[in-house]
Amino acid sequence: MQAIYIYNKVKGQARTLLLSCLLAFIPFAASAVSKQEADSAYMREDYQQAASLYEKLLQQGVSASIYYNLGNAYYRMENMPKAILNYERALVLSPGDKDIRFNLQMARSKTVDRITPESEMFFVTWYRSVVSQASADGWAVTAVVALVVAIALALLYLFAGRIWLRKVGFFGSLLLMVLFIAANVFAWQQKQRVVSRSGAIIMSSAATVKSTPSKGGTDLFILHEGTKVTIIDNSMSGWAEVSVADGREGWIEKSAISVI
């Protein structure tokens, strides 16, 4: 009898464990179904339903592809502020994606404000372009690969018998160590972009930028929906100090913007 009791107890524990595993798997199955439903709704041109389902998916975990699809849904609904916001969020996670950049430019072309960025030195523009070619994870992988190959070339320098092979090993390892350091710097900068999230999109049809963080402040200029700004100071309750790409600065109500 004691043996039967122990067997039944173990069997009951096994059932409980199996049930727990099945319950833990349910959210993942639901997520897969929701993604399929969202894509199907988009293909049926039911963009409102697709957007709603993509929003629910993002509550389970962020993804550049889902942000991109959500941006497409809003673009089809001609909701440019939300389309731009989600394209920007996708671009933060996948900065080298050409499709995201193209669609973002298309959405920006439909906004009211035409912002001419401040001029900058060509090498600054080039540097930013290089950094934006990959995400933080992409640059981290590049750094690891560069380090491994640099070590291999260093060993070639130390043990190769021919002079030309030793030269290849020496100069190749130096170049790859420079790439290793640069890739780490780029990865850190891309990580800061994800963490800091200082960019924001104007969501109101028209938002007045003030000289001070109060409704009684002097009106400086007006920004319209879809325009991107950079948050300089976010410490004031209800207000944020922002800058525009053309160099203008001022205070705007937080309710008028959404952080990227």
Side-chain angles (χ1 to χ4, degrees):
M1 292 296 291
Q2 182 69 16
I4 294 174
Y5 170 75
I6 293 174
Y7 170 76
N8 288 334
K9 185 177 180 180
V10 172
K11 187 176 180 181
Q13 290 175 343
R15 287 176 177 174
T16 302
L17 180 60
L18 179 60
L19 180 60
S20 298
C21 292
L22 289 173
L23 289 174
F25 179 74
I26 287 175
F28 295 98
S31 174
V33 171
S34 296
K35 177 65 167 60
Q36 185 178 5
E37 289 175 356
D39 292 341
S40 297
Y42 186 89
M43 295 302 293
R44 295 195 309 269
E45 298 184 2
D46 187 354
Y47 303 121
Q48 186 66 51
Q49 177 69 6
S52 177
L53 291 173
Y54 287 132
E55 294 277 10
K56 290 179 181 178
L57 282 172
L58 288 170
Q59 292 175 4
Q60 301 172 14
V62 297
S63 164
S65 62
I66 296 178
Y67 275 132
Y68 174 70
N69 290 344
L70 180 57
N72 288 338
Y74 280 124
Y75 183 90
R76 293 293 186 178
M77 290 188 286
E78 298 187 356
N79 188 333
M80 293 308 139
K82 287 190 175 182
I84 292 172
L85 176 66
N86 285 285
Y87 286 146
E88 289 279 7
R89 287 173 175 174
L91 199 61
V92 169
L93 299 176
S94 183
D97 194 304
K98 294 181 180 179
D99 290 334
I100 297 174
R101 290 186 178 276
F102 178 81
N103 285 16
L104 176 58
Q105 290 299 324
M106 290 290 292
R108 283 176 176 170
S109 69
K110 296 180 179 293
T111 59
V112 175
D113 296 329
R114 293 292 178 265
I115 308 297
T116 303
E118 287 185 299
S119 59
E120 58 184 11
M121 299 298 291
F122 75 92
F123 60 83
V124 175
T125 303
W126 175 82
Y127 178 82
R128 289 180 178 175
S129 176
V130 171
V131 174
S132 297
Q133 292 303 307
S135 63
D137 291 341
W139 283 120
V141 171
T142 301
V144 171
V145 172
L147 179 61
V148 171
V149 179
I151 292 173
L153 289 174
L155 293 174
L156 179 66
Y157 166 72
L158 291 174
F159 298 107
R162 298 184 179 181
I163 297 297
W164 72 270
L165 284 176
R166 296 187 66 188
K167 287 182 178 180
V168 169
F170 179 77
F171 291 107
S173 62
L174 283 181
L175 288 174
L176 284 169
M177 284 305 299
V178 171
L179 176 59
F180 168 75
I181 295 171
N184 274 285
V185 173
F186 297 164
W188 178 81
Q189 290 181 329
Q190 292 294 64
K191 183 66 176 179
Q192 290 302 113
R193 284 189 62 196
V194 176
V195 173
S196 64
R197 298 298 180 101
S198 59
I201 302 298
I202 304 294
M203 304 305 290
S204 301
S205 57
T208 302
V209 180
K210 302 278 189 176
S211 61
T212 58
S214 67
K215 291 185 179 294
T218 303
D219 295 351
L220 297 179
F221 51 92
I222 295 176
L223 295 175
H224 299 87
E225 58 182 10
T227 299
K228 183 179 180 179
V229 297
T230 300
I231 299 174
I232 302 172
D233 186 348
N234 199 30
S235 61
M236 297 294 293
S237 176
W239 293 85
E241 187 179 13
V242 300
S243 67
V244 191
D246 59 10
R248 292 178 294 172
E249 297 180 0
W251 293 87
I252 193 171
E253 292 187 86
K254 290 182 180 179
S255 59
I257 61 176
S258 286
V259 177
I260 295 170

